[in-house]
Amino acid sequence: LTAGAAVAAAAPAGTRTLSFRESDAGSRFHIIDEAPMSTSHAEPTASLGDQVVLTIPLLKGKRVVGAIHGTCMITAPRRTFEDSTSLCRTAAVLRGGQIVFEGVLRGGTPTFAITGGTGAYAGARGTFTSREQRGGAVDTFVLLP
């Protein structure tokens, strides 16, 4: 009976959803401009292999509870970064561990696959979605059992 209770307690409780608001304060973005180099400083043009490196603080209420760190590399350039297709590899660093997520970004609302994690999120799988809302983007991690 005790062994059965231990197995039941170790079973996943089900899908878990985590939501955070992105903070503009403290967010950092850096463009790595590969050849051919952009000649525009106001709105850089995109070319194959250009990258955006980013760090975005995550908030719960008004408290910083973690950050997203990542890179997105342009794989199908268009005139601007926003119109281009990029392959993104990112990780959310949270108390208790990290959630790794990646996918293809083609403008609009990004939905990426959660491909793993560390600590409390070891073996994580599921989806990540970021939706622009009034007051800033809301990031949602849906962790599957």
Side-chain angles (χ1 to χ4, degrees), residues 19-133:
S19 292
F20 306 98
R21 183 166 300 281
E22 292 183 4
S23 173
D24 288 337
S27 291
R28 297 180 56 192
F29 298 88
H30 178 73
I31 295 174
I32 300 172
D33 192 6
E34 297 291 339
M37 306 299 273
S38 177
T39 56
S40 172
H41 296 289
E43 178 68 34
T45 55
S47 59
L48 187 65
D50 285 354
Q51 295 184 57
V52 175
V53 180
L54 56 94
T55 301
I56 305 168
L58 296 174
L59 304 174
K60 204 64 161 158
K62 293 183 179 185
R63 198 175 94 229
V64 175
V65 295
I68 291 176
H69 300 273
T71 61
C72 293
M73 182 186 340
I74 294 188
T75 57
R78 297 246 170 168
R79 176 131 178 84
T80 67
F81 277 83
E82 289 78 20
D83 294 333
S84 298
T85 300
S86 300
L87 178 62
C88 299
R89 177 131 174 98
T90 50
V93 178
L94 304 165
R95 183 187 321 216
Q98 301 174 24
I99 302 172
V100 177
F101 52 105
E102 57 191 317
V104 175
L105 176 62
R106 287 189 204 125
T109 300
T111 300
F112 297 151
I114 295 174
T115 58
T118 65
Y121 309 103
R125 62 190 182 99
T127 57
F128 162 86
T129 305
S130 183
R131 295 190 190 286
E132 284 296 324
Q133 295 183 356

